[in-house]
Amino acid sequence: MIPLKPHTDDTKMMMNTTLNQLRGLRLETMAQALEQQLTQSGISAMSFEERLALLVDREVHGRQDRRCARLLKTAKLKYPQAAIEDVDSHSTRGIERSAVMSLALGEWVNAGHAVLITGATGAGKSWLACALAQHACRRGHSALYLRVPRLGEELRIRHANGTFTRWLDTLKNTDVLLLDDWGMAAMDSQTRADLLEIIDDRASHRGTIITSQLPIEHWHEWIGDPTIADAMLDRLMENHHRFTLTGESMRRKNPAAKGKIDD
């Protein structure tokens, strides 16, 4: 293997031009990797092809990391640090780690399945839901967190300022919609109709996660309008995965865990 020639003034000028061109092409991570290579004494032992492969690999992974960071910021998860690797699978939780991992690594998002998570307050519903949404972001999917008790107010504001239709399109095209605290507050007729429209847009096309203290068998009564309830639940239950969390409240058991594992 022919060793690299020492850097002359012409070589340095050429490298500076190359670095500027890489940054002009928005290949910042590759430029940084090339700068790092130029300082490594052992790099001359590698072939051109090997060095190029390393530069491209760094750029690809850098872009993936930046995209994931953007997706997580847009998702506005209640617990953005939640990760499926940290799922509590003790028997007292009522869930199997293998079931959670199988779901997270599967195609539920692309298949438009619903994930329904129920359990008492403090059981870890919101945390588990955020962990699933966070993992979806890590796989390149978009996500958005919404609290259902505040949804009515959000919808009224958007109807009033004329942004409802555009927001509905945003929700329709979001890969994972997390509806937290489902069934905690009564809905008016407009919110009920809007929620049906949101769910109808997503059925069999986009993934939806719902958390609720209310057992699923009581959802029909909570929705209120029998016709809308039938339509809404028919779409949610067509293809769904169910987790029922049990056991003592994690917040009472370990007050320091609040913020890591919550509703």
Side-chain angles (χ1 to χ4, degrees):
M1 185 176 296
I2 301 174
L4 293 179
K5 295 179 180 179
H7 281 193
T8 64
D9 290 340
D10 288 343
T11 303
K12 291 179 180 178
M13 185 178 299
M14 180 184 67
M15 292 308 301
N16 286 334
T17 300
T18 300
L19 289 168
N20 289 334
Q21 289 175 332
L22 287 173
R23 292 191 166 97
L25 293 170
R26 298 184 179 180
L27 299 173
E28 177 62 35
T29 304
M30 183 180 285
Q32 292 175 357
L34 179 55
E35 287 180 318
Q36 186 178 12
Q37 282 191 2
L38 295 174
T39 66
Q40 295 171 327
S41 58
I43 202 70
S44 60
M46 300 181 68
S47 68
F48 169 79
E49 291 80 5
E50 290 170 334
R51 292 184 65 187
L52 180 60
L54 288 176
L55 294 177
V56 173
D57 185 71
R58 282 279 294 275
E59 180 63 33
V60 169
H61 282 86
R63 290 191 178 197
Q64 290 174 343
D65 290 343
R66 290 193 295 274
R67 173 170 169 75
C68 182
R70 288 195 301 271
L71 290 172
L72 286 171
K73 182 177 180 180
T74 302
K76 300 178 181 178
L77 300 178
K78 184 176 184 179
Y79 302 117
Q81 79 283 6
I84 59 168
E85 292 86 352
D86 298 327
V87 167
D88 181 357
S89 60
H90 294 316
S91 59
T92 53
R93 295 293 98 201
I95 59 173
E96 291 293 334
R97 181 185 178 87
S98 59
V100 175
M101 295 298 294
S102 177
L103 173 64
L105 298 174
E107 294 300 318
W108 70 278
V109 177
N110 292 329
H113 292 182
V115 180
L116 314 178
I117 306 173
T118 59
T121 181
K125 302 182 300 297
S126 297
W127 193 92
L128 176 59
C130 286
L132 289 169
Q134 190 249 35
H135 189 74
C137 289
R138 285 158 54 188
R139 300 186 79 184
H141 296 296
S142 58
L144 182 64
Y145 172 94
L146 295 174
R147 286 196 69 243
V148 176
R150 296 178 182 171
L151 186 59
E153 181 181 357
E154 177 76 26
L155 291 168
R156 284 191 292 274
I157 292 173
R158 292 190 176 277
H159 276 295
N161 63 21
T163 62
F164 172 72
T165 301
R166 187 167 67 247
W167 193 57
L168 201 62
D169 285 338
T170 298
L171 297 183
K172 179 181 179 180
N173 294 316
T174 298
D175 295 328
V176 177
L177 180 63
L178 200 171
L179 298 173
D180 201 12
D181 291 331
W182 173 282
M184 284 192 65
M187 287 191 294
D188 57 36
S189 58
Q190 183 63 63
T191 302
R192 192 181 296 121
D194 289 343
L195 186 56
L196 173 59
E197 194 164 356
I198 291 169
I199 290 174
D200 184 60
D201 280 343
R202 305 184 59 77
S204 300
H205 298 290
R206 297 286 190 271
T208 303
I209 305 175
I210 294 177
T211 76
S212 178
Q213 294 183 34
L214 198 65
I216 294 175
E217 56 267 26
H218 296 307
W219 287 9
H220 195 283
E221 181 182 356
W222 169 71
I223 294 169
D225 184 295
T227 302
I228 290 181
D230 285 343
M232 199 180 297
L233 294 179
D234 180 66
R235 286 155 177 77
L236 288 173
M237 304 300 288
E238 182 178 4
N239 293 295
H240 76 281
H241 308 267
R242 186 182 304 189
F243 295 100
T244 302
L245 275 61
T246 60
E248 184 182 354
S249 169
M250 294 297 289
R251 284 175 291 181
R252 287 196 298 269
K253 185 176 180 181
N254 181 14
K258 187 175 182 181
K260 179 180 178 183
I261 298 181
D262 211 320
D263 290 348

